[in-house]
Amino acid sequence: MMNLRGTNGTFDEETGEPVMEAFQKPLFQTFGMFVGMLFGLVMHWFVLAFEVPFPGYDFGNNGEEDVGKDGGGGGDVEVPTERTGLVKGKDGEGATTTAGVDGGSKNNNEIPTWMYFFLAIPAIFDLAATALCMMGLQYLDASIYQMLRGSGIIFVALMKTHVLKEHLNKFHWVGVFWNVVSIVIVGSAAILATGMKTGSEVDDDGAMGGSNADVTSSQTFLGVALMIAGAFVQSMQFVFEEHVMKMDVPASPLLLIGMEGFWGTFLGIFVMYPIAYYMPGDDHGSYEDPFNTWAMIVNSRNIQLAFIIYFFTIFFYNLFAVLVTFMLSSVWHAILDNFRPITVWVTDLFIFYFISPLLGEVWTKYSYIQIAGMAVLLYGTAIYNAPNEGSLSLEGQWWAFGIDLSDEYAAIRREQEEEEVDARWEEKRQQFKVRTRSSFIESPRISVHTQALRGIGAQHN
């Protein structure tokens, strides 16, 4: 969006033509991100109202048949678990029922009031991280911006170990190391490529071609520093999100996204924009002028269209990102973030050479370094993902540089096998049914021994 141009509604006094200016509004993109995330609250309420199956929500049905469905007042019910009471009550004939299966469903999605305020914390992290990244993006190409965000995996791994107290194996740290190497390579490519103009050498003023044609080397260094700072703050957000979705009273992914959007929008209006307006800068005397931003949106159809696309894109991006954290971990969230640069870079090159040389990114002789950085990034990610399919195991091969961690992989495989056995046992346990009544007439196919045992249990109740 920062490569768009539009008018703020004013006209040139001499020509009478609308005054055009670049839509360089990094804070507005941050604000727009939070507005897009607000849609998560709409989906959250929709899921609750219609009990739509969605990760992070428990409506207590568990796919079981309702009691009394066959008209006999009895029926099969699930064995009580640690999430249900052993005995909820007795019906008129003395039959015992388990909690949550007494003819209706139990909704376990009640959220305490304090949680809505607690979720302001990740919004603050997100606001600070995105603002830093958007400011850094002014001085970097989009693909460089995307890859430098990959530095977040370093900080996430450290916080996951020292804050969440979760163990990382040696091969995990090797994968993180190669991610660090890829960041150094990509950052070097960003600085070396500064000054290249349309694939040629630098001009006398040190400007470069592509979407960042007026950026100097010192500004590029500032952009890299801002990006790394933003990645550090964002890593705190990832770890906090993982923690808040796994607490004793967890927040669902949709609620987390929606409340981050709410608090981010609130802080953007009442904190971020007032500071940016009164802080001196190049945007009509302010660091960023919200009134000028609004005027450009109202008077530019291209900016309106871009914002609508950005609104839905940013919502679904954040939705899938939080689901990755919910189902896997914050480290995997950071890892999968690192794969975006490949498509972003290819898209930038396509835009520059096939759509407009004023946009996108030019190919330079340093782009080969960028490709090397991508290769190292994929290599480190494949090592981190071991021993799963599509990964690289360090077992003394030539590409493992003599590192042999076979013992760690063997221990993980044993744990996975044990978890599979436990999962199958739990599945069978959940399938085991008990009757709330014992009757030779109503249950002719149940063995005498089973009915006798159930009769004894009913007497104790």
Side-chain angles (χ1 to χ4, degrees), residues 269-420:
I269 294 174
F270 296 103
V271 178
M272 180 182 71
Y273 264 132
I275 294 175
Y277 181 71
Y278 289 105
M279 182 182 296
D282 299 327
D283 188 7
H284 301 272
S286 302
Y287 180 82
E288 185 166 320
D289 186 352
F291 301 105
N292 177 259
T293 301
W294 176 252
M296 293 187 70
I297 293 173
V298 171
N299 292 281
S300 176
R301 185 62 59 87
N302 288 338
I303 295 176
Q304 294 171 11
L305 178 62
F307 178 73
I308 293 173
I309 296 173
Y310 181 73
F311 176 91
F312 288 102
T313 301
I314 204 66
F315 166 72
F316 285 107
Y317 161 73
N318 281 284
L319 172 61
F320 294 136
V322 170
L323 286 176
V324 167
T325 301
F326 175 75
M327 297 179 175
L328 298 174
S329 71
S330 54
V331 177
W332 268 114
H333 185 169
I335 288 176
L336 295 178
D337 255 7
N338 295 344
F339 283 88
R340 290 183 298 161
I342 299 174
T343 54
V344 171
W345 188 37
V346 172
T347 303
D348 266 0
L349 291 173
F350 177 83
I351 291 174
F352 183 87
Y353 288 103
F354 295 98
I355 298 180
S356 171
L358 299 177
L359 303 174
E361 182 176 345
V362 64
W363 178 276
T364 73
K365 61 183 179 181
Y366 299 112
S367 296
Y368 295 102
I369 301 178
Q370 199 166 333
I371 291 179
M374 287 184 177
V376 174
L377 178 64
L378 294 173
Y379 174 69
T381 301
I383 291 175
Y384 189 96
N385 189 38
N388 301 313
E389 294 183 4
S391 61
L392 296 176
S393 298
L394 304 176
E395 298 177 326
Q397 305 93 330
W398 65 268
W399 43 261
F401 299 97
I403 300 175
D404 188 356
L405 300 176
S406 303
D407 294 341
E408 285 193 353
Y409 299 129
I412 291 175
R413 291 188 181 98
R414 286 194 299 269
E415 291 178 2
Q416 291 176 340
E417 291 174 357
E418 292 174 359
E419 290 176 356
E420 290 177 0

Side-chain angles (χ1 to χ4, degrees), residues 27 47 55 73 83 115 119 201 228 314 373 421:
L27 296 184
V47 168
R83 291 185 67 106
M115 177 62 76
L119 293 179
E201 293 300 323
I228 293 177
I314 204 66
V421 172

